[in-house]
Amino acid sequence: MMEMAMRPRRLRYGNSLRKMVRETRMDKSSLIYPAFVMEGENRQEEITSMEGQYRYTVDRLMYKMEELLDAGVDKVMLFGIPGHKDECGSDAFDENGIVQKGFRAIKERFPEMYCIGDVCMCEYTSHGHCGILNGKDVDNDKTIEYLAKIALSQVEAGADMVAPSDMMDGRVRAIRQLLDANGHETVPIMSYAVKYASAFYGPFREAAGSAPSFGDRKSYQMDYHNRREGIKEALLDVEEGADIIMVKPAMAFGDVIHELKQTLQVPIAAYNVSGEYCMVKAAARSGFVDETAIMCEIAASTFRAGADIYLTYFAQELAKCMDEGRIG
């Protein structure tokens, strides 16, 4: 037998020991489920591009909230599918807008559910861009006035946190100032500070009906070649009042998540987006991968990179795997 003082395999024998020395740990409190709410009654539509995901009317959304809570997932982010769209996305800040109705219903039925509002305009504008247009360009400074109004309307409807996803310059400061001026200084902001112009968003745009009617979003979402730009965006948003910084997408940007974790003193969130979800589903459906195993491995890699919070359509399934000891 070879004489070796250090045998790394010693700590790999048996599941109990492996879990005890695990470097990356996660639990259900870190999971956020993104949900789609639409106008109407008693309807639940499967999203063609996202197998197993649905658009819910407010009444049917309550059944999903109950499922999530039963699984131990107590945080949800709402995306609205409005019945009306116009150039200024007025349904996004209407007190009777679809997301506002969703928040009020959740808080009335399930007050323990922590509600997060996605603050953007692309689902609500007739042109599908994330702000107010000036010709063919999004007017940054005009848009942030509307984003602040959207955030305030969501909080007044029951949102516990707001998450601006538009990537306009200065929107965190505008939102923070308006919330504070209206007595909501304790409501946190989770900024999509590091949001890349990514092909991984394709299925979501079908799900939310938010594809731009012309051009693309590369003038406001970031070039995926850039890492330092993401750090700059995050630092600016923290300075403006962001309490949590999000990286989106998650899977392809572990290096950015890791560097932000080393640089910032705020929690880091990562969004496991629709394209990542669909790739796992498609590969599993073809028999090429074990869906549950690869779902857990991708989640663990995101936390290993430095994420503290994980937004994912697999939240309910991951919670079950945590209960079973497969991940966590």
Side-chain angles (χ1 to χ4, degrees):
M1 179 182 296
M2 294 178 62
E3 292 187 7
M4 288 187 286
M6 292 297 296
R7 288 181 179 266
R9 288 182 59 196
R10 287 192 193 110
L11 298 181
R12 299 174 193 158
Y13 284 96
N15 191 50
S16 180
L17 177 59
R18 288 165 66 96
K19 288 180 70 175
M20 182 174 71
V21 300
R22 185 168 285 169
E23 298 172 24
T24 302
R25 298 179 185 272
M26 59 197 103
D27 61 51
K28 290 184 278 190
S29 66
S30 64
L31 300 175
I32 300 172
Y33 179 73
F36 300 91
V37 58
M38 64 181 178
E39 296 284 4
E41 292 182 0
N42 196 32
R43 288 192 296 130
Q44 176 178 318
E45 298 177 351
E46 185 166 20
I47 299 167
T48 306
S49 62
M50 297 175 66
E51 176 187 341
Q53 299 302 309
Y54 297 85
R55 304 180 191 91
Y56 302 92
T57 54
V58 172
D59 54 342
R60 295 297 294 270
L61 181 66
M62 298 305 103
Y63 294 104
K64 185 62 178 179
M65 296 301 102
E66 189 168 18
E67 277 185 19
L68 290 167
L69 289 169
D70 286 347
V73 178
D74 64 355
K75 299 172 187 70
V76 64
M77 177 181 282
L78 285 192
F79 295 91
I81 315 296
H84 165 76
K85 299 188 179 192
D86 55 34
E87 289 191 355
C88 66
S90 59
D91 198 84
F93 52 87
D94 189 324
E95 65 176 327
N96 291 310
I98 184 57
V99 159
Q100 288 78 0
K101 288 189 283 192
F103 284 137
R104 283 194 293 269
I106 293 171
K107 285 302 182 181
E108 181 178 350
R109 179 84 180 274
F110 304 106
E112 68 272 35
M113 180 65 80
Y114 192 89
C115 294
I116 304 165
D118 174 76
V119 178
C120 197
M121 300 180 71
C122 60
E123 300 108 300
Y124 304 92
T125 54
S126 51
H127 46 75
H129 278 281
C130 299
I132 305 300
L133 293 183
N134 181 7
K136 294 291 186 181
D137 188 34
V138 175
D139 186 324
N140 188 98
D141 294 3
K142 186 67 173 176
T143 295
I144 62 175
E145 298 175 19
Y146 284 82
L147 295 169
K149 288 168 61 177
I150 294 168
L152 179 60
S153 74
Q154 292 181 349
V155 171
E156 290 180 339
D160 300 291
M161 176 188 289
V162 291
S165 62
D166 54 282
M167 288 298 288
M168 296 297 122
D169 296 335
R171 88 274 205 214
V172 172
R173 177 175 286 112
I175 290 170
R176 183 76 273 159
Q177 289 175 347
L178 189 60
L179 290 180
D180 290 358
N182 284 272
H184 301 297
E185 63 277 357
T186 62
V187 172
I189 297 173
M190 176 167 62
S191 173
Y192 289 67
V194 189
K195 182 177 181 180
Y196 289 89
S198 172
F200 282 105
Y201 305 149
F204 176 92
R205 289 173 181 167
E206 188 271 330
S210 62
S213 59
F214 65 89
D216 54 41
R217 297 182 176 133
K218 292 181 179 178
S219 69
Y220 40 102
Q221 294 177 1
M222 290 191 305
D223 184 344
Y224 59 74
H225 296 81
N226 297 349
R227 188 186 75 255
R228 288 179 299 176
E229 184 183 17
I231 308 305
K232 177 179 71 174
E233 287 278 10
L235 289 170
L236 283 170
D237 280 8
V238 170
E239 184 180 330
E240 290 181 13
D243 303 283
I244 300 170
I245 292 298
M246 187 197 296
V247 178
K248 181 181 180 185
M251 190 166 65
F253 296 94
D255 59 325
V256 179
I257 294 169
H258 178 74
E259 188 157 350
L260 286 171
K261 185 70 169 182
Q262 308 306 310
T263 304
L264 302 179
Q265 301 300 312
V266 300
I268 307 300
Y271 196 149
N272 178 238
V273 299
S274 59
E276 300 169 63
Y277 171 86
C278 290
M279 289 195 322
V280 172
K281 284 289 188 180
R285 189 169 58 252
S286 299
F288 297 139
V289 300
D290 178 322
E291 180 178 322
T292 301
I294 202 167
M295 169 191 74
C296 291
E297 189 171 336
I298 291 169
S301 73
T302 306
F303 281 89
R304 190 179 67 242
D308 304 291
I309 299 162
Y310 195 48
L311 296 93
T312 176
Y313 304 98
F314 283 122
Q316 201 168 327
E317 293 84 352
L318 283 169
K320 180 181 179 183
C321 289
M322 291 176 184
D323 286 338
E324 295 171 347
R326 297 189 61 165
I327 189 173

